[in-house]
Amino acid sequence: QVQLVESGGGLVQAGGSLRLSCAAFGQTFSTYSMAWFRQAPGKEREFVASISRSGTITHYADSAKGRFTISRDNAKNTINLQMNSLKPEDTAVYYCAASQYTTRDPRLVAGGVDYWGKGTLVTVSS
């Protein structure tokens, strides 16, 4: 069992930056690939980024490449998402997720997740 709690969301102007964090509670955090998803108003939840159990492999959606960076600290049971050059279309609720699938597995990208956080809202104003 893993409980995930996101933080760091808020209101930012276009071009700005935010850093999201996710704290994981449970004994088996390091056995999961971790990921961020997001859901914009009126849209389906979509994959943003994922990171391997060791933190050495990452995978990004095209919309996040070059602007977002995912990282994890297994000693602290945390993952982060550094978001730079934010755009209004990045406005969404961002969810932290834990998955048994590997980092680039299409099933993870499609939402194959074992545990979800409750989300944190990011609003980017133009």
Side-chain angles (χ1 to χ4, degrees):
Q1 186 81 9
V2 177
Q3 183 181 5
L4 303 172
V5 180
E6 303 95 336
S7 62
L11 175 64
V12 63
Q13 288 189 331
S17 298
L18 274 179
R19 184 177 178 86
L20 304 183
S21 295
C22 173
F25 301 91
Q27 297 287 338
T28 58
F29 171 74
S30 63
T31 67
Y32 290 92
S33 298
M34 298 299 295
W36 288 96
F37 288 75
R38 68 186 183 185
Q39 187 167 18
K43 295 187 177 181
E44 293 187 354
R45 193 175 299 188
E46 65 177 5
F47 170 81
V48 176
S50 57
I51 189 166
S52 63
R53 294 164 179 80
S54 66
T56 57
I57 300 171
T58 57
H59 181 52
Y60 296 92
D62 287 345
S63 60
K65 286 178 182 177
R67 299 188 300 128
F68 295 2
T69 302
I70 188 171
S71 61
R72 72 186 292 166
D73 185 336
N74 286 343
K76 297 181 178 179
N77 280 17
T78 59
I79 69 166
N80 297 295
L81 185 69
Q82 178 66 41
M83 304 187 295
N84 298 327
S85 302
L86 283 162
K87 306 173 182 179
E89 51 263 45
D90 293 319
T91 295
V93 177
Y94 283 72
Y95 298 90
C96 177
S99 176
Q100 290 285 3
Y101 295 123
T102 57
T103 312
R104 295 171 180 163
D105 195 313
R107 291 170 291 184
L108 185 160
V109 174
V113 164
D114 296 272
Y115 300 101
W116 292 99
K118 293 185 178 181
T120 185
L121 176 62
V122 172
T123 303
V124 184
S125 63
S126 58

